[in-house]
Amino acid sequence: MTVIRKEDVISSVADALQYISYYHPLDFVQALEKAYNKEQSQAAKDAIAQILINSRMSAEGHRPICQDTGIVTCFVKIGMNVQWDSDLTVQQMIDEGVRQGYTNQDNPLRASVVADPAGRRINTKDNAPAVVHIDMVPGNKVEIQLAAKGGGSENKTKMVMLNPSDDIAEWVEKTVPLMGAGWCPPGMLGIGIGGTAEKAAVLAKESLMESIDIHELKERGAQTTEEALRLDIFDRVNKLGIGAQGLGGLTTVLDIKIKSAPTHAASKPVCMIPNCAATRHVHFTLDGTGPAELTPPKLEDWPEVTWEVGDSVRRVNLDTVTKTDVQEWKSGETVLLSGKILTGRDAAHKRIQEMLVKGKGLPEGVDFNNRFIYYVGPVDAVGDEVVGPAGPTTSTRMDKFTDMMLGETGLTGMIGKAERGPAAIESIKQHKAVYLMAVGGAAYLVAKAIKKSRVVAFEDLGMEAIYEFEVEDMPVTVAVDSNGTNAHQTGPDTWRVNIAEMEK
């Protein structure tokens, strides 16, 4: 009989969450390097380069890969011969590990979990509770698979109840373009098949804990139905031309993972969950001898990748740029931003809307006239940092506020990640504004461009407060120009055709 101590579970979970906050799995880094070397789309290649550079920087600096340090999902497989030395349940032990991991003073992680989700949505302040799945298995050990899943990718989860005769690969091929780029490709797609609706979702999430091995599978060939389906979906999705960050390119997914379970004869439940460019997971075993030991990877295992903006880059002083100036910017071009920008996410936009409706105007000290807003919720700073990792959040969540912000506050442009919806694009065109895209999954790299930071309004919202950042050479791509030309449409359209031509 193996005795597992409460303290070992808690410290192992806390250490693991710190570990995955700044170490990508090496199989992901290696797969991303292959995609980088293969990529022919310059926009996609630049995006992958930034993700790889950011990954190495995070590993060196022990700071989060992405500002969205995720909601914790934990799969716990408990041996039937295990005995617990604990006055806490497994859920409570995991939650305490989450609290300690996320409030670590050397590397505080962003608290993103809110209670009362249908109502007040109050931040729990420590990212607990975790989502815990427990399974009893033979043996005398406890195996824990731990992941920190960002909201941008989690929000793109798709679920369907297919007919038994329906083609799963065909459904995936049709559905992935509807997900947009908010899940920050290139990443993985986890697909759960069978069981019941909720079982399919759990299977999909668990499949994302597996290592990337699609290239080895291609070399040896499929031996099972699931392996054949993985290869089929992998090829279909990459032929869509969506590419890194949705800008068009050869690689949209690095791997397809599938887990299945027996299901009802009349049913074929399917759930698809994407993992983003900030893939974070780890697997460890507790055997009663103490907490888990996680071996840090070697920095030489990261590829030496550089990224240069080139001579044609447009450099912009945000403190003097005018609405007339931005009308010269063209979709797809790279811009380096210097000067002051304001930030704001969902909660801040909602509060601004409520204030304007009531005739109160904007908060004291907030002036959006002729300025840019950055959709971001940064990690707290440590040491001599101005701000912690501060990559963009998914812009489509702010679409419903776009016309208000452009029409009533004098805003010139927005910075975020992923595509904008038709109504937002029409508003951008109507107001002769611009939408700029920063690379999702490169939060530590982006933060290095921020030279000053201060909260100017809604301090009670924590990471969702309105900040003023002073930036220097912050790299962005013009995603939607003042004419409404959308790089997230033109890029994939172009590369879908290019890939089809290459196949002939």
Side-chain angles (χ1 to χ4, degrees), residues 79-262:
M80 292 292 289
N81 294 325
V82 162
Q83 181 176 332
W84 295 99
D85 178 8
S86 175
D87 56 346
L88 301 178
T89 67
V90 174
Q91 176 78 51
Q92 290 170 332
M93 287 186 282
I94 300 294
D95 287 347
E96 182 57 31
V98 170
R99 291 186 188 96
Q100 293 185 17
Y102 274 73
T103 57
N104 185 306
Q105 292 185 352
D106 294 330
N107 180 40
L109 307 181
R110 197 183 80 181
S112 301
V113 171
V114 295
D116 190 16
R120 294 180 300 160
R121 299 181 67 84
I122 303 300
N123 198 298
T124 64
K125 305 297 186 183
D126 55 17
N127 230 55
V131 178
V132 181
H133 303 279
I134 297 174
D135 191 15
M136 302 301 295
V137 298
N140 59 355
K141 298 177 181 179
V142 175
E143 293 187 15
I144 296 179
Q145 292 179 305
L146 197 68
K149 189 74 159 51
S153 59
E154 187 71 4
N155 290 348
K156 299 300 181 178
T157 297
K158 300 296 180 183
M159 175 82 196
V160 67
M161 300 299 287
L162 294 177
N163 292 319
S165 61
D166 289 342
D167 188 329
I168 294 172
E170 181 180 325
W171 174 78
V172 172
E173 184 179 12
K174 290 178 179 178
T175 303
V176 168
L178 304 178
M179 290 161 46
W183 60 282
C184 283
M188 297 193 298
L189 296 178
I191 300 174
I193 305 168
T196 51
E198 80 281 5
K199 180 64 174 180
V202 173
L203 290 168
K205 182 63 66 67
E206 190 173 14
S207 75
L208 291 170
M209 303 288 188
E210 299 175 0
S211 298
I212 295 174
D213 65 352
I214 197 75
H215 295 292
E216 291 82 353
L217 177 56
K218 290 183 77 170
E219 287 179 9
R220 69 168 171 81
Q223 298 174 357
T224 66
T225 301
E226 285 184 9
E227 289 181 346
L229 185 57
R230 285 177 61 195
L231 293 175
D232 186 14
I233 294 173
F234 181 78
D235 288 340
R236 288 191 191 215
V237 172
N238 282 325
K239 286 179 182 177
L240 293 171
I242 293 168
Q245 301 294 299
L247 294 172
L250 299 179
T251 301
T252 301
V253 288
L254 300 172
D255 203 344
I256 303 294
K257 293 299 183 184
I258 295 176
K259 288 183 77 72
S260 65

Side-chain angles (χ1 to χ4, degrees), residues 156-453:
K156 299 300 181 178
T157 297
K158 300 296 180 183
M159 175 82 196
V160 67
M161 300 299 287
L162 294 177
N163 292 319
S165 61
D166 289 342
D167 188 329
I168 294 172
E170 181 180 325
W171 174 78
V172 172
E173 184 179 12
K174 290 178 179 178
T175 303
V176 168
L178 304 178
M179 290 161 46
W183 60 282
C184 283
M188 297 193 298
L189 296 178
I191 300 174
I193 305 168
T196 51
E198 80 281 5
K199 180 64 174 180
V202 173
L203 290 168
K205 182 63 66 67
E206 190 173 14
S207 75
L208 291 170
M209 303 288 188
E210 299 175 0
S211 298
I212 295 174
D213 65 352
I214 197 75
H215 295 292
E216 291 82 353
L217 177 56
K218 290 183 77 170
E219 287 179 9
R220 69 168 171 81
Q223 298 174 357
T224 66
T225 301
E226 285 184 9
E227 289 181 346
L229 185 57
R230 285 177 61 195
L231 293 175
D232 186 14
I233 294 173
F234 181 78
D235 288 340
R236 288 191 191 215
V237 172
N238 282 325
K239 286 179 182 177
L240 293 171
I242 293 168
Q245 301 294 299
L247 294 172
L250 299 179
T251 301
T252 301
V253 288
L254 300 172
D255 203 344
I256 303 294
K257 293 299 183 184
I258 295 176
K259 288 183 77 72
S260 65
T263 190
H264 192 285
S267 304
K268 190 189 278 188
V270 180
C271 183
M272 175 168 61
I273 304 178
N275 240 7
C276 64
T279 290
R280 294 167 295 214
H281 61 86
V282 70
H283 181 182
F284 58 87
T285 300
L286 299 176
D287 60 6
T289 60
E293 293 185 11
L294 301 173
T295 304
K298 298 176 182 177
L299 287 176
E300 52 263 35
D301 290 330
W302 268 261
E304 292 287 349
V305 174
T306 58
W307 178 68
E308 303 294 337
V309 294
D311 297 330
S312 61
V313 68
R314 185 187 294 272
R315 293 180 181 271
V316 172
N317 183 343
L318 291 164
D319 299 330
T320 60
V321 69
T322 67
K323 292 185 179 180
T324 301
D325 293 335
V326 304
Q327 293 178 39
E328 299 176 3
W329 304 359
K330 299 301 178 185
S331 175
E333 74 171 303
T334 299
V335 178
L336 291 181
L337 303 176
S338 296
K340 295 182 177 66
I341 55 177
L342 293 169
T343 76
R345 287 169 46 108
D346 314 58
H349 278 78
K350 182 179 179 182
R351 198 173 282 186
I352 288 170
Q353 183 183 57
E354 292 169 349
M355 294 177 74
L356 292 177
V357 167
K358 294 177 181 178
K360 294 182 178 180
L362 293 172
E364 184 179 351
V366 175
D367 182 4
F368 288 109
N369 195 46
N370 284 324
R371 302 190 74 176
F372 280 74
I373 189 169
Y374 182 28
Y375 302 144
V376 62
V379 176
D380 289 343
V382 297
D384 59 358
E385 290 180 343
V386 171
V387 69
T393 196
T394 307
S395 301
T396 46
R397 299 202 314 276
M398 269 54 74
D399 280 3
K400 63 197 253 185
F401 303 107
T402 297
D403 200 58
M404 173 195 73
M405 294 296 292
L406 294 178
E408 299 184 41
T409 72
L411 194 69
T412 295
M414 301 147 285
I415 308 163
K417 75 169 184 179
E419 74 289 342
R420 306 307 298 266
I425 293 173
E426 183 57 35
S427 184
I428 291 168
K429 180 180 178 180
Q430 178 186 339
H431 292 96
K432 293 299 178 182
V434 291
Y435 166 57
L436 312 175
M437 191 209 79
V439 172
Y444 196 32
L445 177 63
V446 171
K448 295 300 182 182
I450 302 170
K451 304 306 177 183
K452 293 181 181 179
S453 170

